[in-house]
Amino acid sequence: MAFLFDKVKDAIHGVEGKGKPASSEQHPAEQQRSHKHGHTHAHTHQSGICSDNDSHHLHRFQSFAPQREGNDAKWYVDGCSYMYAVSVALENARHSVWIMDWWLSPELYLRRPPAKNEQYRLDKLLFQAANRGVQVYVIVYKEVTQALTLSSSHTKHWLEDNDKTGNIRVFRHPDHLPDKQTLASNLWSSIKETGMSASKLSRLPGDAIKGVYGMNEDTILYWAHHEKLCLIDGSVAFMGGLDLCYGRWDTNQHSIADAHPGDLNRIVFPGQDYNNARIMDFQDVQHWQNNKLDRTANSRMGWSDISISLHGPVVEDLRAHFAQRWNFIYVEVSSVIKLDMD
């Protein structure tokens, strides 16, 4: 893929020295003040000191938060133990559940086998929490539909439409709709014709590469928030590399087949959770039971990643980060509810 990344690097160099878009971590109050004065403040300065009296320049790596002591942390390797721990936390949630994912699959089973753990399907855990009065807020990446088959729309509408309490709210972000100028340009036609594969993208001109990676004026086409964060009652946080989505639940053994592919009562990877992206991608995920990958003839692709759970002062910083992200999006759409950290 070096040919593509070389071209991307050249495109990035081509925009150096130009104004940068505001960071999505910018506080909504600052966003509002900046818009009033006709500009956005990116909190990016050569001196490393923010003119808005932000203290991030005093922190290691200029982080938004300082180092915190007195935290308890536990690591998880692979999805089995991690998702089990998340299921325990969701089952015991009493006030709030805040989730930020690249992709969230409502029908994901956090414990296996599914036939013996129906109550631990993610959507059911969230609906049960909402019925207890828990406020559930979810942020997921709004995908480029020409490139990805995640269907964040299904995630949002399945959770909100099937919640009878009004306690579940979902944001999809960012908005990838191109402006009129881009729609009228050869750029958008070129991008549509590529089908968004890496090999085809590499044949685009530099300006098109800039547009694809969100560097063509105000056009945002192909970048993603890739954070994975789950906060329960503001006291426990889960974060790391594992989304709560299909293809991520796995054991340390990374089995390439389902032990009982023909027995629905003993199957471990239901529906499209049996996946091999090297053969085919997820398809029509709103009908998740339908899997075109024949599990009797094709192996699954294992998934290995790590995540951690945290207790202690650092959780408050992660709460602030989620609230800032949520409120930033709220400023853009102004249609759901603003989070109050007090």
Short mmCIF file of all heavy atoms in Angstrom, two decimals, residues 114-140:
data_model
loop_
_atom_site.label_atom_id
_atom_site.label_comp_id
_atom_site.label_asym_id
_atom_site.label_seq_id
_atom_site.Cartn_x
_atom_site.Cartn_y
_atom_site.Cartn_z
N PRO A 114 -24.44 -17.97 22.32
CA PRO A 114 -25.63 -17.11 22.33
C PRO A 114 -26.89 -17.79 22.85
O PRO A 114 -27.68 -17.16 23.56
CB PRO A 114 -25.78 -16.73 20.85
CG PRO A 114 -24.40 -16.83 20.31
CD PRO A 114 -23.77 -17.99 21.00
N ALA A 115 -27.08 -19.06 22.53
CA ALA A 115 -28.31 -19.74 22.92
C ALA A 115 -28.50 -19.78 24.43
O ALA A 115 -29.63 -19.84 24.92
CB ALA A 115 -28.32 -21.17 22.35
N LYS A 116 -27.39 -19.71 25.17
CA LYS A 116 -27.47 -19.74 26.63
C LYS A 116 -27.31 -18.35 27.25
O LYS A 116 -27.31 -18.23 28.48
CB LYS A 116 -26.40 -20.68 27.18
CG LYS A 116 -26.60 -22.13 26.80
CD LYS A 116 -25.54 -23.02 27.42
CE LYS A 116 -25.76 -24.48 27.07
NZ LYS A 116 -24.72 -25.36 27.68
N ASN A 117 -27.18 -17.34 26.42
CA ASN A 117 -26.91 -15.99 26.94
C ASN A 117 -27.70 -14.91 26.20
O ASN A 117 -27.17 -13.84 25.90
CB ASN A 117 -25.41 -15.69 26.83
CG ASN A 117 -24.57 -16.53 27.76
OD1 ASN A 117 -24.51 -16.28 28.97
ND2 ASN A 117 -23.92 -17.55 27.22
N GLU A 118 -28.95 -15.21 25.91
CA GLU A 118 -29.78 -14.24 25.17
C GLU A 118 -29.86 -12.89 25.88
O GLU A 118 -29.92 -11.84 25.25
CB GLU A 118 -31.18 -14.81 24.96
CG GLU A 118 -31.29 -15.80 23.82
CD GLU A 118 -31.06 -15.18 22.46
OE1 GLU A 118 -31.27 -13.97 22.31
OE2 GLU A 118 -30.65 -15.91 21.55
N GLN A 119 -29.89 -12.92 27.21
CA GLN A 119 -30.03 -11.67 27.96
C GLN A 119 -28.78 -10.80 27.87
O GLN A 119 -28.83 -9.62 28.25
CB GLN A 119 -30.37 -11.95 29.43
CG GLN A 119 -29.23 -12.56 30.25
CD GLN A 119 -29.21 -14.08 30.20
OE1 GLN A 119 -29.53 -14.69 29.18
NE2 GLN A 119 -28.83 -14.69 31.31
N TYR A 120 -27.69 -11.37 27.36
CA TYR A 120 -26.45 -10.61 27.26
C TYR A 120 -26.16 -10.15 25.84
O TYR A 120 -25.02 -9.85 25.49
CB TYR A 120 -25.28 -11.44 27.81
CG TYR A 120 -25.43 -11.67 29.30
CD1 TYR A 120 -25.75 -12.92 29.79
CD2 TYR A 120 -25.28 -10.61 30.19
CE1 TYR A 120 -25.91 -13.13 31.16
CE2 TYR A 120 -25.44 -10.80 31.55
CZ TYR A 120 -25.76 -12.06 32.03
OH TYR A 120 -25.93 -12.25 33.38
N ARG A 121 -27.20 -10.08 25.03
CA ARG A 121 -27.07 -9.40 23.74
C ARG A 121 -27.03 -7.90 24.02
O ARG A 121 -27.78 -7.41 24.87
CB ARG A 121 -28.24 -9.77 22.82
CG ARG A 121 -27.90 -9.63 21.35
CD ARG A 121 -28.99 -10.15 20.47
NE ARG A 121 -30.01 -9.15 20.20
CZ ARG A 121 -30.94 -9.26 19.26
NH1 ARG A 121 -30.99 -10.36 18.52
NH2 ARG A 121 -31.85 -8.32 19.08
N LEU A 122 -26.17 -7.19 23.34
CA LEU A 122 -25.90 -5.80 23.69
C LEU A 122 -27.15 -4.94 23.71
O LEU A 122 -27.37 -4.16 24.65
CB LEU A 122 -24.87 -5.21 22.71
CG LEU A 122 -24.48 -3.75 22.92
CD1 LEU A 122 -23.98 -3.49 24.34
CD2 LEU A 122 -23.43 -3.33 21.89
N ASP A 123 -28.00 -5.04 22.67
CA ASP A 123 -29.19 -4.20 22.65
C ASP A 123 -30.11 -4.50 23.83
O ASP A 123 -30.70 -3.59 24.42
CB ASP A 123 -29.94 -4.33 21.32
CG ASP A 123 -30.34 -5.75 20.98
OD1 ASP A 123 -29.89 -6.70 21.67
OD2 ASP A 123 -31.10 -5.93 20.01
N LYS A 124 -30.21 -5.77 24.22
CA LYS A 124 -31.07 -6.12 25.34
C LYS A 124 -30.54 -5.56 26.65
O LYS A 124 -31.31 -5.11 27.51
CB LYS A 124 -31.23 -7.64 25.42
CG LYS A 124 -31.99 -8.23 24.23
CD LYS A 124 -32.17 -9.73 24.34
CE LYS A 124 -32.95 -10.26 23.15
NZ LYS A 124 -33.17 -11.73 23.23
N LEU A 125 -29.22 -5.57 26.81
CA LEU A 125 -28.63 -4.97 28.01
C LEU A 125 -28.91 -3.47 28.06
O LEU A 125 -29.21 -2.92 29.13
CB LEU A 125 -27.13 -5.23 28.03
CG LEU A 125 -26.68 -6.64 28.41
CD1 LEU A 125 -25.20 -6.83 28.11
CD2 LEU A 125 -26.97 -6.93 29.89
N LEU A 126 -28.82 -2.80 26.91
CA LEU A 126 -29.07 -1.36 26.88
C LEU A 126 -30.55 -1.04 27.10
O LEU A 126 -30.89 -0.08 27.79
CB LEU A 126 -28.59 -0.77 25.55
CG LEU A 126 -27.07 -0.86 25.31
CD1 LEU A 126 -26.72 -0.26 23.95
CD2 LEU A 126 -26.30 -0.13 26.41
N PHE A 127 -31.45 -1.85 26.52
CA PHE A 127 -32.88 -1.64 26.74
C PHE A 127 -33.25 -1.87 28.21
O PHE A 127 -34.04 -1.12 28.79
CB PHE A 127 -33.70 -2.58 25.85
CG PHE A 127 -33.58 -2.29 24.37
CD1 PHE A 127 -33.62 -3.32 23.44
CD2 PHE A 127 -33.43 -1.00 23.90
CE1 PHE A 127 -33.51 -3.06 22.09
CE2 PHE A 127 -33.32 -0.72 22.54
CZ PHE A 127 -33.37 -1.77 21.64
N GLN A 128 -32.65 -2.90 28.81
CA GLN A 128 -32.91 -3.16 30.22
C GLN A 128 -32.41 -2.01 31.09
O GLN A 128 -33.09 -1.60 32.05
CB GLN A 128 -32.24 -4.47 30.63
CG GLN A 128 -32.87 -5.71 30.03
CD GLN A 128 -32.00 -6.95 30.17
OE1 GLN A 128 -30.94 -6.91 30.82
NE2 GLN A 128 -32.42 -8.04 29.56
N ALA A 129 -31.25 -1.48 30.74
CA ALA A 129 -30.73 -0.33 31.49
C ALA A 129 -31.66 0.87 31.35
O ALA A 129 -31.96 1.56 32.34
CB ALA A 129 -29.32 0.02 31.00
N ALA A 130 -32.11 1.13 30.12
CA ALA A 130 -33.02 2.25 29.89
C ALA A 130 -34.32 2.08 30.69
O ALA A 130 -34.85 3.05 31.24
CB ALA A 130 -33.32 2.38 28.40
N ASN A 131 -34.79 0.86 30.79
CA ASN A 131 -36.01 0.59 31.57
C ASN A 131 -35.79 0.85 33.05
O ASN A 131 -36.75 1.13 33.78
CB ASN A 131 -36.47 -0.85 31.34
CG ASN A 131 -37.07 -1.06 29.96
OD1 ASN A 131 -37.58 -0.13 29.35
ND2 ASN A 131 -36.98 -2.29 29.46
N ARG A 132 -34.55 0.76 33.51
CA ARG A 132 -34.24 1.06 34.91
C ARG A 132 -34.05 2.55 35.13
O ARG A 132 -33.78 2.99 36.25
CB ARG A 132 -32.95 0.33 35.34
CG ARG A 132 -33.03 -1.17 35.33
CD ARG A 132 -31.86 -1.81 36.09
NE ARG A 132 -30.57 -1.43 35.55
CZ ARG A 132 -29.92 -2.11 34.60
NH1 ARG A 132 -30.49 -3.17 34.05
NH2 ARG A 132 -28.72 -1.72 34.20
N GLY A 133 -34.17 3.35 34.07
CA GLY A 133 -33.99 4.79 34.19
C GLY A 133 -32.60 5.26 33.86
O GLY A 133 -32.29 6.46 34.00
N VAL A 134 -31.74 4.34 33.40
CA VAL A 134 -30.37 4.72 33.04
C VAL A 134 -30.39 5.53 31.75
O VAL A 134 -31.09 5.19 30.79
CB VAL A 134 -29.50 3.46 32.86
CG1 VAL A 134 -28.10 3.82 32.37
CG2 VAL A 134 -29.43 2.67 34.16
N GLN A 135 -29.63 6.62 31.73
CA GLN A 135 -29.51 7.45 30.54
C GLN A 135 -28.37 6.90 29.67
O GLN A 135 -27.22 6.84 30.11
CB GLN A 135 -29.23 8.90 30.92
CG GLN A 135 -30.31 9.53 31.79
CD GLN A 135 -31.65 9.57 31.09
OE1 GLN A 135 -31.79 10.13 29.99
NE2 GLN A 135 -32.67 8.99 31.72
N VAL A 136 -28.71 6.50 28.45
CA VAL A 136 -27.75 5.87 27.55
C VAL A 136 -27.45 6.81 26.39
O VAL A 136 -28.35 7.21 25.66
CB VAL A 136 -28.29 4.53 27.01
CG1 VAL A 136 -27.29 3.89 26.05
CG2 VAL A 136 -28.64 3.58 28.16
N TYR A 137 -26.18 7.17 26.24
CA TYR A 137 -25.73 8.03 25.16
C TYR A 137 -24.69 7.29 24.33
O TYR A 137 -23.73 6.73 24.88
CB TYR A 137 -25.12 9.32 25.69
CG TYR A 137 -26.06 10.13 26.56
CD1 TYR A 137 -26.00 10.05 27.94
CD2 TYR A 137 -27.00 10.97 25.98
CE1 TYR A 137 -26.86 10.79 28.74
CE2 TYR A 137 -27.87 11.72 26.76
CZ TYR A 137 -27.80 11.62 28.14
OH TYR A 137 -28.66 12.35 28.92
N VAL A 138 -24.86 7.28 23.02
CA VAL A 138 -23.97 6.53 22.13
C VAL A 138 -23.50 7.44 21.00
O VAL A 138 -24.31 8.15 20.38
CB VAL A 138 -24.68 5.30 21.54
CG1 VAL A 138 -23.75 4.54 20.59
CG2 VAL A 138 -25.19 4.37 22.65
N ILE A 139 -22.19 7.41 20.72
CA ILE A 139 -21.62 8.09 19.55
C ILE A 139 -20.97 7.03 18.68
O ILE A 139 -20.13 6.26 19.14
CB ILE A 139 -20.55 9.13 19.95
CG1 ILE A 139 -21.13 10.20 20.87
CG2 ILE A 139 -19.96 9.78 18.70
CD1 ILE A 139 -20.09 11.18 21.40
N VAL A 140 -21.38 6.95 17.42
CA VAL A 140 -20.76 6.02 16.48
C VAL A 140 -20.33 6.79 15.23
O VAL A 140 -20.87 7.85 14.90
CB VAL A 140 -21.70 4.87 16.08
CG1 VAL A 140 -21.94 3.95 17.25
CG2 VAL A 140 -23.01 5.39 15.52
#
